């Protein structure tokens, strides 16, 4: 907020705020000043996901009928003071908002926005160990995020993001169309690297090469978390140089926070919620 008040363009990592209200405050201030903004939802800059999105939009697999996303990662139960605070749900940085936020944004990027959700949230790992102090902390941040939903075009969605103590199965994103299938697997949606397989009709799934035009970073850019960040920075630099809006910006972040708030409301009230 201090940077926005001085009239500066702002890049903020994801999530933008601890709550939807905080995100709205930052968006409103930036909008009032006509400031350029960006948030770190790097899945939108991942080459594999950009290509999958293009294939969906071009009708490569026909009308999207159903989507299944599963992200099962390693629980981090030993943390120092720099991360132990994430166990307190009120701080707004947890499996739902971080891993879940990145993953559901990747899903929406590829196949379109959700307009209804029915969710279950749970905290199955209720204690973390503070590796700096030796103390045990009670945890109430959710580590099980299960959503059944519907896209704007009527396609059904099954979405699961969770952390487990041992042997996580990783990430798998399946898109089923009337004329074919796409499957993205590998690293987390925002970090990668991911592999893309596809098929039309009753063909077997085969690996699909991602065209070079989706690689925006120089040769030699390292793999791992840095790569999609570099992809996003390249897109951001181009947008700012051209005086164009960058997506995802603070407006997009507010919309994504609103989706997470709908998921929380659905879980709390035990009913389907319109987004």
């Amino acid at each position: 907020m201090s940077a926005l008040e001085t009239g500066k363009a702002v890049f903020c990592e994801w999530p933008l705020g601890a709550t939807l209200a905080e995100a709205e405050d930052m968006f409103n201030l930036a909008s009032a000043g006509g400031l350029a903004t960006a948030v770190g939802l790097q899945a939108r800059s991942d080459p594999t996901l950009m290509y999958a999105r293009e294939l969906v939009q071009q009708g490569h697999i026909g009308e999207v009928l159903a989507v299944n996303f599963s992200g099962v990662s390693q629980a981090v139960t030993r943390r120092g003071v720099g991360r132990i605070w994430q166990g307190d749900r009120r701080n707004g940085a947890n499996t739902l908002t971080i891993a879940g936020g990145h993953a559901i944004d990747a899903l929406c990027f590829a196949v379109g926005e959700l307009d209804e959700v029915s969710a279950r949230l749970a905290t199955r790992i209720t204690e973390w160990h503070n590796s700096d102090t030796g103390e045990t902390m009670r945890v109430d941040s959710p580590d099980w995020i299960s959503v059944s939903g519907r896209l704007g075009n009527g396609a059904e969605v099954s979405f699961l993001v969770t952390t487990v103590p041992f042997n996580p199965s990783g990430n798998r994103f399946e898109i089923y169309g009337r004329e074919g299938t796409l499957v993205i697997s590998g690293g987390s949606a925002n970090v990668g690297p991911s592999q893309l397989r596809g098929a039309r009709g009753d063909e077997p799934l085969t690996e699909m090469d991602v065209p070079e035009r989706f690689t925006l970073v120089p040769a030699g850019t390292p793999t791992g978390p840095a790569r999609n960040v570099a992809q996003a920075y390249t897109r951001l630099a181009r947008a700012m140089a051209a005086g164009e809006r960058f997506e995802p910006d603070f407006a997009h972040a507010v919309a994504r926070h609103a989706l997470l708030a709908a998921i929380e409301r659905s879980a709390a009230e035990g009913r389907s919620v319109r987004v």
Side-chain angles (χ1 to χ4, degrees), residues 162-182:
T162 187
T163 61
V164 296
F166 307 106
N167 300 308
S169 59
N171 295 271
R172 186 175 173 90
F173 181 11
E174 303 162 351
I175 307 170
Y176 298 101
R178 196 172 294 279
E179 299 174 17
T181 300
L182 296 173

Side-chain angles (χ1 to χ4, degrees), residues 212-230:
E212 284 296 321
R213 57 191 167 87
F214 292 106
T215 298
L216 310 178
V217 294
T221 301
T223 58
R227 190 169 185 84
N228 281 351
V229 172

Side-chain angles (χ1 to χ4, degrees), residues 104 107-108 113-120 145-151 156-159 256 258-275:
I104 209 160
L107 185 153
C108 294
E113 294 293 323
L114 286 149
D115 68 3
E116 184 176 355
V117 293
S118 178
R120 288 182 61 86
I145 298 95
S146 176
V147 180
S148 293
R150 187 178 64 237
L151 299 181
E156 296 295 328
V157 173
S158 175
F159 176 85
R256 197 54 67 236
L259 174 56
L260 295 179
I263 290 171
E264 290 193 278
R265 188 164 69 252
S266 171
E269 299 175 3
R271 64 180 182 88
S272 294
V273 169
R274 299 280 295 183
V275 179

Side-chain angles (χ1 to χ4, degrees), residues 6-95:
T6 62
K8 294 185 180 296
V10 175
F11 173 92
C12 181
E13 254 305 339
W14 175 261
L16 176 57
T19 63
L20 171 59
E22 283 190 2
E24 289 175 333
D25 286 345
M26 286 180 269
F27 164 68
N28 290 335
L29 184 56
S31 295
L35 303 175
T37 59
V39 293
L41 286 165
Q42 294 92 3
R44 291 176 173 261
S45 300
D46 179 86
T48 303
L49 279 164
M50 288 195 293
Y51 185 39
R53 169 187 167 93
E54 179 180 279
L55 290 172
V56 169
Q57 292 181 337
Q58 291 178 344
H60 182 75
I61 59 171
E63 176 192 5
V64 174
L65 302 177
V67 178
N68 182 48
F69 188 104
S70 176
V72 184
S73 59
Q74 181 70 49
V76 181
T77 58
R78 296 180 61 86
R79 300 168 179 240
V81 293
R83 292 288 183 180
I84 197 76
W85 57 271
Q86 294 180 342
D88 186 335
R89 187 171 183 168
R90 294 170 299 179
N91 291 327
N94 50 60
T95 302

